[in-house]
């Protein structure tokens, strides 16, 4: 199938493009490079021996986006494009709402205009807010989001659900990611954040290659076995494969579907540091600091629905993800240049 991949040069998008090619699909990438580099396209070509068609454009520029739909018969869209830095979103709410909502609305209008009826959307576990119990299931109510980034994801979910009710012949999958980490095993693709990383794994890998002196562990006095927060870390290649499997199901299943993409297993920050040492032989220097406002002590997914309906199960371990993330950072100490 011809798959339009928005944000296809970003962290998750680029890994998904590789898996799409290896499953026999033809990705067409749209990305404005606001948080990625053109060099990623060369890396994709190196890994797959295919250079996908690439359009450098902002999805909010609807007329330009229309030209992409005119130029290619598109079977489905995977919509990764968006701004994603939680902390930054607090200071720049208008940018986050304009970009994340605006790009989605413009994409939906072009899909309607060109009769493209299959869409996968990158949502996030953040839409659950504080869950009533664990593990988190897809039918839990949406919770209170605590920052404009999270609110933009919840709002887009709502827009897509309303859109689907009004357009019952559309197929839309909302994929709620837990914590994507790791990198392609080749070390060619990986997570390459601008500035100081917000997320745990890129911070850790930047510490071990000497770009930062130590990791600050945000609190060790939570009500968890070792006092640090627990998350559900999923290898980015497993996550990418989840999109390919969703695609197969999506085109046969009219309406809106929602899947958690995680592993179902919770891992604490200290356990991640142990797994890192086991997987790479490198000890991570760290200091324990205060809690980060807004962090919940425990979050992990129930992944039964994706397994039962898609046959999907993440198989890679946190240790493998640490090894791959380290390999990527060693090969690209200053990120993708
Ligand atoms: P990323 O920033 O690496 O990739 C997003 C890509 O979209 C970037 O290449 C960026 O240049 C592009 N982009 C942004 N706005 C655009 C626009 N208006 N037009 C065209 N391109 C645009 O992020 P990622 O980690 O790969 O995340 C992909 C998606 O998954 C995002 O929507 C993110 O919110 C969501 N998500 C990510 C995580 C995570 O921890 N990485 C967790 C949950 C959900
Ligand atoms: N974390 C940390 N130090 C850091 C970054 C993150 O201790 O520099 C912890 C954070 O408190 C959380 C976990 O690592 O418990 C995962 O954080 P991340 O920001 O990667 O993902 P989140 O689940 O918050 O979206």
């Amino acid at each position: 199938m011809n798959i339009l991949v928005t944000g296809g040069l970003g962290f998750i998008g680029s890994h998904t493009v590789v898996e799409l090619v290896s499953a026999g699909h033809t990705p067409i990438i749209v990305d404005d490079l606001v948080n990625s580099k053109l060099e990623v396209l060369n890396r994709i070509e190196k890994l797959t021996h295919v250079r996908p068609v690439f359009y450098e454009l902002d999805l909010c520029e609807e007329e330009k986006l229309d030209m992409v739909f005119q130029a290619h018969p598109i079977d489905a869209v995977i919509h990764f494009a968006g701004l994603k830095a939680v902390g930054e979103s607090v200071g720049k709410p208008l940018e986050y709402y304009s970009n994340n909502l605006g790009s989605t609305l413009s994409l939906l209008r072009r899909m309607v205009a060109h009769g493209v009826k299959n869409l996968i959307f990158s949502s996030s576990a953040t839409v659950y807010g504080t869950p009533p119990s664990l593990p988190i299931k897809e039918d839990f109510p949406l919770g209170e989001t605590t920052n404009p980034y999270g609110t933009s994801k919840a709002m887009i979910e709502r827009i897509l659900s309303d859109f689907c009710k009004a357009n019952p012949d559309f197929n839309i999958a909302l994929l709620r990611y837990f914590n994507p980490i790791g990198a392609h095993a080749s070390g060619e693709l990986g997570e390459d954040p601008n500035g100081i990383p917000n997320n745990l794994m890129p911070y850790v890998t930047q510490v071990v290659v000497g770009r930062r002196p130590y990791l600050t562990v945000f609190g060790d006095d939570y009500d968890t076995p070792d006092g640090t927060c627990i998350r559900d870390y999923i290898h980015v290649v497993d996550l990418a494969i989840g999109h390919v499997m969703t695609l197969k199901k999506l085109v046969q299943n009219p309406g809106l579907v929602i899947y958690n993409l995680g592993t179902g297993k919770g891992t604490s920050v200290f356990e991640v540091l142990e797994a890192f040492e086991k997987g790479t032989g490198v000890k991570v220097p760290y200091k324990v600091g205060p809690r980060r406002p807004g962090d919940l002590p425990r979050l992990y997914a129930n992944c039964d629905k994706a397994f039962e309906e898609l046959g999907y199960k993440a198989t890679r371990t946190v240790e493998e993800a640490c090894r791959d993330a380290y390999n990527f950072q060693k090969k690209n100490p200053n990120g993708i240049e």
Side-chain angles (χ1 to χ4, degrees), residues 312-327:
Y312 172 74
K313 199 169 168 42
T315 56
R316 290 165 178 79
T317 62
V318 171
E319 203 178 303
E320 284 172 86
C322 291
R323 183 200 61 204
D324 293 338
Y326 179 52
N327 183 36

Side-chain angles (χ1 to χ4, degrees), residues 1-2 21 23 61 67 78 108 116 134 149 174 185 198 203 216 218-219 225 255 264 269 281 290 321 334:
M1 288 191 282
N2 285 345
V21 172
E61 294 182 83
M67 280 154 50
I78 308 183
L108 283 174
V116 179
L134 290 165
Y149 164 72
L174 309 178
N198 292 299
Y203 206 104
T216 302
F218 296 143
V269 177
N334 297 310

Side-chain angles (χ1 to χ4, degrees), residues 7 9-13 31-36 57-60 80-82 84 99 103 122-124 149 153 177-178 180:
L9 296 187
F11 173 46
I12 306 170
D31 199 305
D32 65 358
L33 304 180
V34 70
N35 198 35
S36 54
L57 64 87
D58 179 344
L59 291 172
C60 299
F80 293 105
K84 64 159 185 178
N99 189 69
S103 62
S122 296
S123 189
S124 163
Y149 164 72
K153 290 288 169 194
Y177 310 156
F178 279 66

